Amino acid sequence: MTGRRAVEVLPDGDTLAAAAAARIAAAAEAAIRARGVFIVALSGGETPRRTYQRLAEASGTTRLPWSQVQVLWGDERCVPPDHPDSNYRMACDALLDHVAVPAANIHRMRGEDEPAAAASRYEGELRELLRGPAARIDLVLLGLGAEGHTASLFPGGAALHETRRWVMAEYVPVVSGWRVTQTLVLINAAADVLFLVSGARKADIVRRVLEGPAGSGPPAELPAQAVAPARGTVRWLIDRDAGAELGKGSR
Ligand code: 6PG
């Protein structure tokens, strides 16, 4: 059975962040009610920052029982944790430094380590955390790069085609740097995936990914199209600018 897909277009970046924070809070509440824990994989880049800030606000419906939340990352740049490009640093600045999540619940990809060693260590940590037949990531947050990458699964990269490992390191020529990334093996085993995409510069790639021809298997061209949890939902929250090309057919 292939999973379900839902696309929601919000007026702007702020309403996108509010909707995403509410969706994450709802997923957390359901997971904690069912299993006593919410395992979430954060995405990097810039788009999720406002969502993380909303989650950090103590008010309203997005208040989470942080002691029961396990925080992972979908990918990381191979830089130290205090580097401006670090996805971990962005999440700390916007969220984790402002909420009472126990340090032991924060599972950081060690960007400062040799990349393959960091990937192998992270896989071991996740295999320890996700023991047992029912254990899986409850929610994977993902972004979308202008050329179709998601997490650090880039067009033409080897990590995109991995069928066994959960985490891999890869040199990514288009960003001239090493990345550590979850592979589709782990992402597609998640209960739910939430893409957050904002801004006019993503409009073309959003159309191509959501309305273009879907490849059979993980397409080398559009990695985001290969995100399809067998037993889960892929939900897209996009703002109006990023959704501007939807429904206009292929040119
Ligand atoms: C990263 C992300 C990456 C990101 C997209 C979109 O480490 O950069 O994991 O997949 O989500 O590149 O980035 P923006 O939100 O900055 O456009």
Side-chain angles (χ1 to χ4, degrees):
M1 175 190 93
T2 54
R4 299 173 301 284
R5 186 178 89 180
V7 180
E8 188 178 347
V9 181
L10 287 304
D12 55 35
D14 280 337
T15 47
L16 169 60
R23 178 68 57 185
I24 294 164
E29 185 186 339
I32 290 168
R33 188 171 53 244
R35 292 191 301 123
V37 65
F38 175 56
I39 303 175
V40 59
L42 300 182
S43 65
E46 195 48 39
T47 301
R49 186 188 295 273
R50 270 189 280 185
T51 297
Y52 298 166
Q53 290 166 338
R54 292 296 291 255
L55 283 174
E57 288 161 13
S59 60
T61 57
T62 59
R63 205 185 178 109
L64 272 69
W66 290 102
S67 62
Q68 292 171 271
V69 178
Q70 296 283 343
V71 180
L72 319 178
W73 274 264
D75 73 320
E76 184 56 279
R77 291 84 179 274
C78 292
V79 295
D82 60 352
H83 190 283
D85 290 348
S86 165
N87 289 336
Y88 166 81
R89 173 174 164 176
M90 187 275 276
C92 288
D93 290 347
L95 173 60
L96 301 177
D97 288 350
H98 310 285
V99 295
V101 58
N105 290 19
I106 298 176
H107 305 273
R108 177 175 73 86
M109 291 177 166
R110 293 174 54 88
E112 69 274 29
D113 288 354
E114 188 277 325
S120 171
R121 174 178 176 145
Y122 202 68
E123 174 150 346
E125 188 169 344
L126 293 193
R127 286 187 183 273
E128 180 60 26
L129 178 70
L130 298 169
R131 271 174 302 140
R136 58 180 179 157
I137 300 175
D138 295 295
L139 181 63
V140 175
L141 299 182
L142 291 173
L144 179 66
E147 84 300 314
H149 83 263
T150 191
S152 283
L153 301 171
F154 283 78
L160 176 61
H161 302 282
E162 174 63 24
T163 58
R164 185 177 50 80
R165 285 173 286 181
W166 288 7
V167 185
M168 274 182 71
E170 187 157 66
Y171 181 78
V172 181
V174 73
V175 298
S176 305
W178 281 86
R179 297 285 186 93
V180 174
T181 186
Q182 288 189 22
T183 65
L184 291 169
V185 176
L186 189 55
I187 293 170
N188 281 341
D192 287 310
V193 173
L194 182 61
F195 277 94
L196 305 180
V197 191
S198 171
R201 73 184 182 89
K202 301 288 179 72
D204 181 57
I205 192 62
V206 164
R207 178 187 57 77
R208 289 173 61 208
V209 169
L210 292 182
E211 296 181 343
S216 55
E221 188 190 347
L222 293 177
Q225 277 188 338
V227 174
R231 295 177 296 120
T233 302
V234 179
R235 189 175 305 277
W236 290 75
L237 292 182
I238 59 180
D239 68 7
R240 186 173 294 136
D241 287 345
E245 296 297 316
L246 290 177
K248 291 188 176 177
S250 58
R251 283 194 296 251

PDB file of all heavy atoms in Angstrom, residues 222-244:
ATOM      1  N   LEU A 222      14.660  13.926  -9.428  1.00  0.00           N
ATOM      2  CA  LEU A 222      13.857  14.648  -8.435  1.00  0.00           C
ATOM      3  C   LEU A 222      13.751  13.817  -7.158  1.00  0.00           C
ATOM      4  O   LEU A 222      12.729  13.176  -6.919  1.00  0.00           O
ATOM      5  CB  LEU A 222      12.462  14.949  -8.992  1.00  0.00           C
ATOM      6  CG  LEU A 222      12.396  15.941 -10.156  1.00  0.00           C
ATOM      7  CD1 LEU A 222      10.963  16.070 -10.646  1.00  0.00           C
ATOM      8  CD2 LEU A 222      12.956  17.300  -9.759  1.00  0.00           C
ATOM      9  N   PRO A 223      14.771  13.876  -6.316  1.00  0.00           N
ATOM     10  CA  PRO A 223      14.758  13.043  -5.092  1.00  0.00           C
ATOM     11  C   PRO A 223      13.499  13.236  -4.244  1.00  0.00           C
ATOM     12  O   PRO A 223      12.995  12.259  -3.676  1.00  0.00           O
ATOM     13  CB  PRO A 223      16.001  13.520  -4.357  1.00  0.00           C
ATOM     14  CG  PRO A 223      16.939  13.939  -5.447  1.00  0.00           C
ATOM     15  CD  PRO A 223      16.066  14.564  -6.488  1.00  0.00           C
ATOM     16  N   ALA A 224      12.964  14.458  -4.198  1.00  0.00           N
ATOM     17  CA  ALA A 224      11.791  14.680  -3.335  1.00  0.00           C
ATOM     18  C   ALA A 224      10.620  13.814  -3.770  1.00  0.00           C
ATOM     19  O   ALA A 224       9.756  13.466  -2.959  1.00  0.00           O
ATOM     20  CB  ALA A 224      11.391  16.154  -3.355  1.00  0.00           C
ATOM     21  N   GLN A 225      10.592  13.423  -5.064  1.00  0.00           N
ATOM     22  CA  GLN A 225       9.492  12.567  -5.519  1.00  0.00           C
ATOM     23  C   GLN A 225       9.592  11.143  -4.973  1.00  0.00           C
ATOM     24  O   GLN A 225       8.635  10.402  -4.962  1.00  0.00           O
ATOM     25  CB  GLN A 225       9.471  12.486  -7.054  1.00  0.00           C
ATOM     26  CG  GLN A 225       8.777  13.631  -7.727  1.00  0.00           C
ATOM     27  CD  GLN A 225       8.616  13.398  -9.226  1.00  0.00           C
ATOM     28  OE1 GLN A 225       9.345  12.601  -9.823  1.00  0.00           O
ATOM     29  NE2 GLN A 225       7.672  14.081  -9.833  1.00  0.00           N
ATOM     30  N   ALA A 226      10.787  10.787  -4.490  1.00  0.00           N
ATOM     31  CA  ALA A 226      10.978   9.415  -3.998  1.00  0.00           C
ATOM     32  C   ALA A 226      10.557   9.275  -2.535  1.00  0.00           C
ATOM     33  O   ALA A 226      10.616   8.191  -1.978  1.00  0.00           O
ATOM     34  CB  ALA A 226      12.447   9.021  -4.154  1.00  0.00           C
ATOM     35  N   VAL A 227      10.146  10.384  -1.924  1.00  0.00           N
ATOM     36  CA  VAL A 227       9.680  10.311  -0.526  1.00  0.00           C
ATOM     37  C   VAL A 227       8.240   9.834  -0.542  1.00  0.00           C
ATOM     38  O   VAL A 227       7.341  10.556  -0.971  1.00  0.00           O
ATOM     39  CB  VAL A 227       9.798  11.685   0.163  1.00  0.00           C
ATOM     40  CG1 VAL A 227       9.177  11.625   1.555  1.00  0.00           C
ATOM     41  CG2 VAL A 227      11.257  12.121   0.227  1.00  0.00           C
ATOM     42  N   ALA A 228       8.050   8.577  -0.127  1.00  0.00           N
ATOM     43  CA  ALA A 228       6.701   7.981  -0.177  1.00  0.00           C
ATOM     44  C   ALA A 228       6.625   6.892   0.884  1.00  0.00           C
ATOM     45  O   ALA A 228       6.818   5.716   0.572  1.00  0.00           O
ATOM     46  CB  ALA A 228       6.425   7.399  -1.552  1.00  0.00           C
ATOM     47  N   PRO A 229       6.412   7.279   2.149  1.00  0.00           N
ATOM     48  CA  PRO A 229       6.353   6.260   3.209  1.00  0.00           C
ATOM     49  C   PRO A 229       5.289   5.208   2.891  1.00  0.00           C
ATOM     50  O   PRO A 229       4.151   5.553   2.568  1.00  0.00           O
ATOM     51  CB  PRO A 229       5.967   7.052   4.458  1.00  0.00           C
ATOM     52  CG  PRO A 229       6.328   8.456   4.163  1.00  0.00           C
ATOM     53  CD  PRO A 229       6.194   8.627   2.692  1.00  0.00           C
ATOM     54  N   ALA A 230       5.678   3.942   2.949  1.00  0.00           N
ATOM     55  CA  ALA A 230       4.746   2.863   2.564  1.00  0.00           C
ATOM     56  C   ALA A 230       3.529   2.866   3.478  1.00  0.00           C
ATOM     57  O   ALA A 230       2.409   2.590   3.050  1.00  0.00           O
ATOM     58  CB  ALA A 230       5.466   1.526   2.649  1.00  0.00           C
ATOM     59  N   ARG A 231       3.760   3.201   4.756  1.00  0.00           N
ATOM     60  CA  ARG A 231       2.624   3.181   5.704  1.00  0.00           C
ATOM     61  C   ARG A 231       2.516   4.554   6.363  1.00  0.00           C
ATOM     62  O   ARG A 231       2.534   4.689   7.582  1.00  0.00           O
ATOM     63  CB  ARG A 231       2.856   2.087   6.762  1.00  0.00           C
ATOM     64  CG  ARG A 231       2.860   0.670   6.196  1.00  0.00           C
ATOM     65  CD  ARG A 231       3.172  -0.384   7.264  1.00  0.00           C
ATOM     66  NE  ARG A 231       4.521  -0.199   7.784  1.00  0.00           N
ATOM     67  CZ  ARG A 231       4.780   0.054   9.067  1.00  0.00           C
ATOM     68  NH1 ARG A 231       3.790   0.158   9.931  1.00  0.00           N
ATOM     69  NH2 ARG A 231       6.022   0.227   9.489  1.00  0.00           N
ATOM     70  N   GLY A 232       2.448   5.583   5.552  1.00  0.00           N
ATOM     71  CA  GLY A 232       2.370   6.909   6.158  1.00  0.00           C
ATOM     72  C   GLY A 232       1.836   7.940   5.189  1.00  0.00           C
ATOM     73  O   GLY A 232       1.477   7.612   4.064  1.00  0.00           O
ATOM     74  N   THR A 233       1.828   9.181   5.636  1.00  0.00           N
ATOM     75  CA  THR A 233       1.290  10.281   4.842  1.00  0.00           C
ATOM     76  C   THR A 233       2.391  11.266   4.523  1.00  0.00           C
ATOM     77  O   THR A 233       3.232  11.575   5.383  1.00  0.00           O
ATOM     78  CB  THR A 233       0.187  11.018   5.644  1.00  0.00           C
ATOM     79  OG1 THR A 233      -0.832  10.084   5.980  1.00  0.00           O
ATOM     80  CG2 THR A 233      -0.404  12.168   4.838  1.00  0.00           C
ATOM     81  N   VAL A 234       2.415  11.728   3.278  1.00  0.00           N
ATOM     82  CA  VAL A 234       3.290  12.847   2.908  1.00  0.00           C
ATOM     83  C   VAL A 234       2.402  14.075   2.790  1.00  0.00           C
ATOM     84  O   VAL A 234       1.464  14.103   1.993  1.00  0.00           O
ATOM     85  CB  VAL A 234       4.000  12.601   1.565  1.00  0.00           C
ATOM     86  CG1 VAL A 234       4.887  13.795   1.216  1.00  0.00           C
ATOM     87  CG2 VAL A 234       4.844  11.337   1.624  1.00  0.00           C
ATOM     88  N   ARG A 235       2.666  15.048   3.649  1.00  0.00           N
ATOM     89  CA  ARG A 235       1.878  16.281   3.639  1.00  0.00           C
ATOM     90  C   ARG A 235       2.784  17.427   3.207  1.00  0.00           C
ATOM     91  O   ARG A 235       3.930  17.526   3.663  1.00  0.00           O
ATOM     92  CB  ARG A 235       1.327  16.547   5.039  1.00  0.00           C
ATOM     93  CG  ARG A 235       0.324  17.684   5.131  1.00  0.00           C
ATOM     94  CD  ARG A 235      -0.249  17.763   6.542  1.00  0.00           C
ATOM     95  NE  ARG A 235      -0.840  16.481   6.965  1.00  0.00           N
ATOM     96  CZ  ARG A 235      -2.054  16.094   6.651  1.00  0.00           C
ATOM     97  NH1 ARG A 235      -2.818  16.874   5.909  1.00  0.00           N
ATOM     98  NH2 ARG A 235      -2.529  14.928   7.073  1.00  0.00           N
ATOM     99  N   TRP A 236       2.300  18.235   2.298  1.00  0.00           N
ATOM    100  CA  TRP A 236       3.043  19.395   1.821  1.00  0.00           C
ATOM    101  C   TRP A 236       2.353  20.653   2.339  1.00  0.00           C
ATOM    102  O   TRP A 236       1.153  20.848   2.067  1.00  0.00           O
ATOM    103  CB  TRP A 236       3.077  19.435   0.295  1.00  0.00           C
ATOM    104  CG  TRP A 236       3.914  18.366  -0.328  1.00  0.00           C
ATOM    105  CD1 TRP A 236       3.604  17.045  -0.458  1.00  0.00           C
ATOM    106  CD2 TRP A 236       5.195  18.530  -0.937  1.00  0.00           C
ATOM    107  NE1 TRP A 236       4.621  16.377  -1.105  1.00  0.00           N
ATOM    108  CE2 TRP A 236       5.610  17.264  -1.410  1.00  0.00           C
ATOM    109  CE3 TRP A 236       6.033  19.633  -1.141  1.00  0.00           C
ATOM    110  CZ2 TRP A 236       6.825  17.071  -2.062  1.00  0.00           C
ATOM    111  CZ3 TRP A 236       7.247  19.443  -1.798  1.00  0.00           C
ATOM    112  CH2 TRP A 236       7.636  18.174  -2.237  1.00  0.00           C
ATOM    113  N   LEU A 237       3.068  21.471   3.064  1.00  0.00           N
ATOM    114  CA  LEU A 237       2.587  22.804   3.443  1.00  0.00           C
ATOM    115  C   LEU A 237       3.442  23.785   2.662  1.00  0.00           C
ATOM    116  O   LEU A 237       4.649  23.889   2.857  1.00  0.00           O
ATOM    117  CB  LEU A 237       2.732  23.033   4.952  1.00  0.00           C
ATOM    118  CG  LEU A 237       1.829  22.194   5.878  1.00  0.00           C
ATOM    119  CD1 LEU A 237       2.070  22.588   7.345  1.00  0.00           C
ATOM    120  CD2 LEU A 237       0.359  22.363   5.537  1.00  0.00           C
ATOM    121  N   ILE A 238       2.784  24.492   1.715  1.00  0.00           N
ATOM    122  CA  ILE A 238       3.528  25.440   0.880  1.00  0.00           C
ATOM    123  C   ILE A 238       2.835  26.790   0.953  1.00  0.00           C
ATOM    124  O   ILE A 238       1.622  26.864   1.196  1.00  0.00           O
ATOM    125  CB  ILE A 238       3.605  24.945  -0.589  1.00  0.00           C
ATOM    126  CG1 ILE A 238       2.218  24.768  -1.203  1.00  0.00           C
ATOM    127  CG2 ILE A 238       4.368  23.643  -0.656  1.00  0.00           C
ATOM    128  CD1 ILE A 238       2.251  24.276  -2.653  1.00  0.00           C
ATOM    129  N   ASP A 239       3.588  27.840   0.787  1.00  0.00           N
ATOM    130  CA  ASP A 239       2.928  29.145   0.781  1.00  0.00           C
ATOM    131  C   ASP A 239       2.530  29.485  -0.662  1.00  0.00           C
ATOM    132  O   ASP A 239       2.903  28.792  -1.617  1.00  0.00           O
ATOM    133  CB  ASP A 239       3.799  30.232   1.424  1.00  0.00           C
ATOM    134  CG  ASP A 239       5.042  30.582   0.623  1.00  0.00           C
ATOM    135  OD1 ASP A 239       5.206  30.101  -0.515  1.00  0.00           O
ATOM    136  OD2 ASP A 239       5.876  31.334   1.155  1.00  0.00           O
ATOM    137  N   ARG A 240       1.738  30.551  -0.801  1.00  0.00           N
ATOM    138  CA  ARG A 240       1.137  30.870  -2.109  1.00  0.00           C
ATOM    139  C   ARG A 240       2.205  31.102  -3.169  1.00  0.00           C
ATOM    140  O   ARG A 240       2.082  30.663  -4.312  1.00  0.00           O
ATOM    141  CB  ARG A 240       0.238  32.112  -1.982  1.00  0.00           C
ATOM    142  CG  ARG A 240      -0.549  32.424  -3.274  1.00  0.00           C
ATOM    143  CD  ARG A 240      -1.554  33.531  -3.076  1.00  0.00           C
ATOM    144  NE  ARG A 240      -2.611  33.133  -2.158  1.00  0.00           N
ATOM    145  CZ  ARG A 240      -3.077  33.910  -1.179  1.00  0.00           C
ATOM    146  NH1 ARG A 240      -2.545  35.113  -0.975  1.00  0.00           N
ATOM    147  NH2 ARG A 240      -4.051  33.494  -0.380  1.00  0.00           N
ATOM    148  N   ASP A 241       3.315  31.743  -2.762  1.00  0.00           N
ATOM    149  CA  ASP A 241       4.383  32.004  -3.743  1.00  0.00           C
ATOM    150  C   ASP A 241       4.997  30.700  -4.261  1.00  0.00           C
ATOM    151  O   ASP A 241       5.231  30.527  -5.453  1.00  0.00           O
ATOM    152  CB  ASP A 241       5.470  32.875  -3.102  1.00  0.00           C
ATOM    153  CG  ASP A 241       5.013  34.322  -2.928  1.00  0.00           C
ATOM    154  OD1 ASP A 241       3.997  34.707  -3.559  1.00  0.00           O
ATOM    155  OD2 ASP A 241       5.659  35.047  -2.148  1.00  0.00           O
ATOM    156  N   ALA A 242       5.206  29.762  -3.359  1.00  0.00           N
ATOM    157  CA  ALA A 242       5.817  28.492  -3.789  1.00  0.00           C
ATOM    158  C   ALA A 242       4.829  27.637  -4.588  1.00  0.00           C
ATOM    159  O   ALA A 242       5.237  26.804  -5.389  1.00  0.00           O
ATOM    160  CB  ALA A 242       6.301  27.709  -2.569  1.00  0.00           C
ATOM    161  N   GLY A 243       3.545  27.897  -4.390  1.00  0.00           N
ATOM    162  CA  GLY A 243       2.531  27.127  -5.115  1.00  0.00           C
ATOM    163  C   GLY A 243       2.012  27.813  -6.359  1.00  0.00           C
ATOM    164  O   GLY A 243       1.054  27.360  -6.987  1.00  0.00           O
ATOM    165  N   ALA A 244       2.692  28.912  -6.757  1.00  0.00           N
ATOM    166  CA  ALA A 244       2.150  29.762  -7.833  1.00  0.00           C
ATOM    167  C   ALA A 244       2.053  29.052  -9.180  1.00  0.00           C
ATOM    168  O   ALA A 244       1.250  29.428 -10.029  1.00  0.00           O
ATOM    169  CB  ALA A 244       3.020  31.013  -7.966  1.00  0.00           C
TER     170      ALA A 244
END
